[in-house]
Amino acid sequence: MSEPSNTKQQIHHITYPDLEDFVRRVLVGNGVPDKHAAIVANCLVQADLRGVDTHGSNRIPSYMQRIRQKVLDPSSSPELQQITPVAASVDGKNTFGFVSAHLAMQRAIEMAQEFGLGLVSVKHSNHFGMSAWLVQQAIDAGMMSLVFTNSSPALPVWGGMSKLMGVSPIACGAPAGKERPFILDMAPSVAARGKIYKALRRGEKIPTDWALDGDGNITDDPAKALEGVMLPMGGPKGSALAIMMDVFSGVLSGSAFAGNVTGPYDPSKPADVGHFLMAIKPDLFVSLEDFKARMDYLYQRVVGSDKMAGVDRIYYPGEIEQITREKRLVGGIPFTEAEIESLNKEAELVGVEKLKYDDVGTL
């Protein structure tokens, strides 16, 4: 790999309807049923809109490669089994994690609406992108939620030096009244692995506290970082959170765990990712009006806190991404020319129209 560069790159902006339609057509061209393609495309573009570019449309080439390698089934449908009135299981049947997780959250919401809470375990699934879209699915239905998943080895346990745990996000959320909802979506590592892939695509360096290379040394080279390990946030605390994700997502579901989830660039076998989702009715213990008022008060107290020196504004969890979404809905989603070229290669492979874009800027 050439030395990472920090030179500014030319970018183009793509409107979200054009991008979502493009992604859907590429998916359908690769054998994904239109109903499922619509779910996947929407989830990916929601990540792009929120500024989580590492989990957005740029994932399409790697997903399509797994279809071509026959380790992801584009045409299968997940199966739902009701276990108790408030618990269900989904067998993902090795289709897109987006499709399985969407079904799981939908069922969790339905159970919560009737019984106050609903939990669904998902097995034999795949990567489902940004966890926040599932939290948002619950918020749109007026529900609180917990969203867990496991992933392929990238992180050592505290005190170890080899990859064992995934950089598996923990996510949760709650609706509010007049203020913004609470949306937490974070990895147990210092940085999400997708940010390293993004830096690699763009020829950029990474901060030296993100990862170690294959020899255990600090590095600012994303290629060397991917050969090594991610670093857990907060030392043993981040490591423990990663193990927790494995317990709830892998052990409980019957899916892979303990370092046995297959990586996104390993064509030897299906990923076998596990998920755990819960929806909770917010007025179980107080009235809905009171709950929303209390959430609004919490928001106001957080963002209105006394600021440290040099801090202009305090943000609520998920607020920066929501602000980014509002801006990108108007101004479009930025992509480098290399990223557009990569996406358009996928369009060429299945004979669909290439991406359209408008203004030019620098990144």
Side-chain angles (χ1 to χ4, degrees):
M1 174 189 168
S2 59
E3 185 70 20
S5 170
N6 286 324
T7 58
K8 289 186 176 181
Q9 301 180 57
Q10 195 173 69
I11 63 168
H12 301 278
H13 289 83
I14 302 171
T15 66
Y16 86 92
D18 285 344
L19 181 60
E20 189 169 329
D21 180 63
F22 169 83
V23 172
R24 183 191 61 77
R25 287 185 285 108
V26 169
L27 288 162
V28 170
N30 280 277
V32 182
D34 193 71
K35 181 179 179 180
H36 292 176
I39 292 171
V40 178
N42 178 260
C43 295
L44 289 173
V45 175
Q46 287 305 313
D48 289 319
L49 284 171
R50 289 172 63 85
V52 189
D53 306 310
T54 55
H55 289 61
S57 303
N58 279 309
R59 290 272 182 163
I60 279 293
S62 64
Y63 290 159
M64 298 307 97
Q65 181 67 7
R66 289 191 69 75
I67 290 175
R68 290 190 287 269
Q69 292 166 335
K70 301 189 184 304
V71 288
L72 188 157
D73 189 343
S75 60
S76 65
S77 294
E79 291 185 2
L80 175 71
Q81 179 184 7
Q82 196 69 36
I83 307 299
T84 76
V86 296
S89 173
V90 169
D91 184 339
K93 298 289 186 181
N94 195 33
T95 192
F96 279 96
F98 302 92
V99 178
S100 297
H102 183 273
L103 172 65
M105 181 56 81
Q106 184 178 53
R107 184 59 191 138
I109 290 167
E110 291 168 353
M111 290 186 287
Q113 288 170 336
E114 185 173 359
F115 299 107
L117 63 88
L119 62 91
V120 184
S121 181
V122 183
K123 62 184 177 182
H124 309 324
S125 186
N126 283 282
H127 188 259
F128 64 34
M130 171 189 72
S131 295
W133 71 265
L134 285 160
V135 174
Q136 188 66 55
Q137 184 181 346
I139 286 173
D140 290 343
M143 294 289 167
M144 303 172 70
S145 64
L146 295 173
V147 177
F148 299 165
T149 185
N150 64 3
S151 56
S152 58
L155 192 79
V157 294
W158 185 244
M161 62 174 289
S162 59
K163 296 178 183 178
L164 182 62
M165 294 294 109
V167 181
S168 309
I170 178 171
C172 58
K178 298 178 181 179
E179 305 293 356
R180 295 187 186 276
F182 170 77
I183 300 177
L184 172 68
D185 180 0
M186 69 177 194
S189 54
V190 176
R193 186 163 49 172
K195 290 186 177 180
I196 294 184
Y197 283 113
K198 178 181 177 181
L200 182 65
R201 285 196 311 270
R202 295 186 171 186
E204 298 171 347
K205 294 182 179 182
I206 61 171
T208 55
D209 63 345
W210 282 12
L212 303 178
D213 65 19
D215 297 320
N217 300 312
I218 61 172
T219 182
D220 62 4
D221 186 328
K224 290 182 179 179
L226 292 170
E227 294 171 357
V229 295
M230 305 292 294
L231 291 174
M233 67 173 183
K237 296 179 181 180
S239 173
L241 285 174
I243 296 171
M244 183 182 80
M245 293 298 98
D246 223 18
V247 171
F248 280 85
S249 303
V251 176
L252 181 64
S253 69
S255 220
F257 66 102
N260 292 307
V261 175
T262 307
Y265 300 103
D266 180 353
S268 65
K269 58 182 178 180
D272 200 16
V273 179
H275 318 307
F276 175 84
L277 306 125
M278 179 181 287
I280 306 165
K281 203 165 182 280
D283 57 352
L284 282 177
F285 310 111
V286 298
S287 70
L288 184 59
E289 181 181 2
D290 191 21
F291 177 86
K292 289 183 175 180
R294 291 166 70 85
M295 287 299 297
D296 286 350
Y297 178 71
L298 176 61
Y299 172 88
Q300 292 157 6
R301 290 283 289 171
V302 170
V303 302
S305 297
D306 294 335
K307 303 175 184 67
M308 292 173 56
V311 174
D312 295 325
R313 177 174 177 178
I314 293 174
Y315 292 93
Y316 202 54
E319 186 171 23
I320 291 175
E321 291 82 1
Q322 292 171 66
I323 292 171
T324 300
R325 183 179 186 275
E326 291 161 4
K327 291 178 179 177
R328 290 188 174 187
L329 282 171
V330 176
I333 299 165
F335 285 85
T336 66
E337 291 189 340
E339 289 168 338
I340 292 175
E341 182 180 347
S342 178
L343 290 171
N344 280 335
K345 284 181 180 177
E346 295 298 329
E348 290 176 358
L349 287 173
V350 291
V352 301
E353 187 178 354
K354 293 183 178 181
L355 268 174
K356 298 175 180 178
Y357 49 83
D358 45 32
D359 66 316
V360 177
T362 56
L363 185 67

